[in-house]
Amino acid sequence: MSKETYETFYVARQPILTLDKEVYGYELLFRQNQEARTAEIVDPQHATMSVASGGFLRSSEDLLAGQKLLINFTANLILDGTPYGLPPDRVVVEILESVDVTPELVQAVAKLKDEGYSFAIDDYTGDSAFDELLPLATIIKVDLMAVDEKMLPGVVQKARHPGVTLLAEKVEDAKTFMQCKSLGFELFQGYFFSKPVNLEGRRPPAASAGKLRILQQLNEELSLEQLTELVQSDPSLAYRLLRFLNSSAFSFLHEITSISHAVRLIGIGQVKHWLRLVVVAELKAKDASPELLMMSMTRAKYLEMQAEEKDKDSYFLLGLISLMDVVMQLPMSEVLSRVSLEQRLADALEEKPGRLHEYLESARCLERAEWSAVDAFIQGHGLDASHVKQSWAEALIWATRAFSGVC
């Protein structure tokens, strides 16, 4: 008898950002099982049902207020009324570019819209077959890789309708982001926000360098007295710690009498964990996306869950500062020059081959739903695929909760 009596499904999510680089929501991406490869979906209906059931439940656990989940639906599932099983205030129904637009489909979409559901047309290229659906759409997604740059203004013009928001897909650098903004796009999907931009010739302010030194110290063994002194050396950290203790996460019967008292109450381990998150949040450049912090926290927790007990702090720190070059808009070499990190961590951050770099790369692959690369990592290290998948899902939820506590 098989040990596994339930079906394993894999769902990744990719952020969709606004003009201000705030998170509008996430598109859910499906993978049927450990053997399936990136875009091979033999049964699109099964794919949608898996995302719409388990994928929705998993991803909705860590959504912030107002954020949406975009889920692909086939024509048959829309005609069968499947979207009615999901809350209209949370879900945007994506109509695939491969569907046949029939009068029956248009009627079903119109009925769902009357019931409060929102629709996105996926991979729109200006095809006249979708003309009847355009007025019913809330979002029209344009895949920049599928439309010639010279044709893009015309496609944008045709997509414009009252109440429609234009979304640019596969935006991979800041230049493309700015071009799309000028054309009137308001939503953006891609990892342009997670790459360094204009990094040459910049130096961190003294306050940022001090924060980096605090991060370094937090990865060392600290006594209660040393940790108290570290918190007290930075008034903003001391104030935020006291606010944190006053949150709903705690319900102390006695007033906090000192920073030392606060550290004793919640413990050295939890204070160090919390301080790492706060320090990274305070380092964020004013024009950096909050999603960067979420990604950093997710990577940190995921890597911690993969590490042996003796390495958990180091793996956590690796994930937490892995996007620091983008967060601070500085080259990683400049970031590392300000701290004295353990050499194996510095090597991984500078993309040098090794075990830690492979683990960090696995986090990047999970973010992007690059399943083949995730498979290779799992097999190469002899890991349990279910554990890796579960760790990533739990890290996403943990990061969202932690994010709300430090930002």
Side-chain angles (χ1 to χ4, degrees), residues 137-294:
T138 306
I139 297 171
I140 295 179
K141 302 177 70 176
V142 178
D143 185 342
L144 302 182
M145 301 295 183
V147 178
D148 184 273
E149 189 175 350
K150 294 179 181 178
M151 304 294 291
L152 189 57
V155 172
V156 168
Q157 187 59 38
K158 185 172 181 181
R160 291 189 190 283
H161 281 78
V164 164
T165 300
L166 298 180
L167 186 157
E169 291 186 277
K170 296 188 175 68
V171 183
E172 296 300 319
D173 55 55
K175 180 183 176 183
T176 306
F177 172 65
M178 296 305 295
Q179 289 173 338
C180 290
K181 277 180 68 174
S182 68
L183 285 171
F185 285 94
E186 297 178 57
L187 295 175
F188 308 87
Q189 188 171 353
Y191 284 94
F192 66 97
F193 63 91
S194 66
K195 293 182 180 179
V197 183
N198 300 326
L199 301 181
E200 294 77 13
R202 297 190 59 183
R203 288 192 175 275
S208 295
K211 291 289 192 297
L212 286 173
R213 283 192 289 273
I214 289 175
L215 268 182
Q216 175 190 338
Q217 289 174 275
L218 287 171
N219 209 43
E220 301 168 359
E221 289 291 332
L222 296 175
S223 66
L224 186 146
E225 292 74 19
Q226 289 171 319
L227 186 55
T228 299
E229 185 178 340
L230 186 61
V231 175
Q232 291 178 158
S233 70
D234 189 313
S236 71
L237 290 183
Y239 173 70
R240 292 182 74 165
L241 175 60
L242 294 175
R243 283 193 61 189
F244 177 56
L245 290 171
N246 194 45
S247 71
S248 58
F250 302 96
S251 53
F252 296 125
L253 298 176
H254 304 289
E255 293 183 349
I256 306 299
T257 58
S258 65
I259 296 298
S260 175
H261 182 206
V263 174
R264 284 198 304 273
L265 279 173
I266 63 176
I268 291 175
Q270 188 168 354
V271 171
K272 286 175 70 175
H273 233 33
W274 177 84
L275 281 173
R276 289 188 184 106
L277 302 181
V278 171
V279 168
V280 169
E282 290 194 351
L283 282 167
K284 182 175 76 71
K286 66 179 181 179
D287 58 344
S289 167
E291 182 68 11
L292 284 172
L293 297 182
M294 287 281 291

Side-chain angles (χ1 to χ4, degrees), residues 383-403:
L383 301 176
D384 182 308
S386 296
H387 172 70
V388 171
K389 177 186 72 72
Q390 185 68 19
S391 296
W392 185 251
E394 290 179 8
L396 283 168
I397 295 170
W398 177 88
T400 302
R401 292 171 181 167
F403 181 82

Side-chain angles (χ1 to χ4, degrees), residues 338-354:
R338 300 283 164 162
V339 293
S340 180
L341 271 186
E342 188 180 354
Q343 190 59 48
R344 60 177 183 153
L345 297 182
D347 286 347
L349 292 167
E350 291 191 294
E351 310 300 333
K352 294 179 181 177

Side-chain angles (χ1 to χ4, degrees), residues 196-205 208 212 324-335 338:
V197 183
N198 300 326
L199 301 181
E200 294 77 13
R202 297 190 59 183
R203 288 192 175 275
S208 295
L212 286 173
M324 195 57 64
D325 53 340
V326 193
V327 168
M328 296 181 68
Q329 290 296 284
L330 291 164
M332 183 58 80
S333 58
E334 182 71 29
V335 173
R338 300 283 164 162

Side-chain angles (χ1 to χ4, degrees), residues 29-40:
L29 303 171
F30 171 81
R31 181 193 188 190
Q32 185 171 350
N33 54 49
Q34 184 61 21
E35 288 69 41
R37 299 301 174 189
T38 338
E40 289 184 15

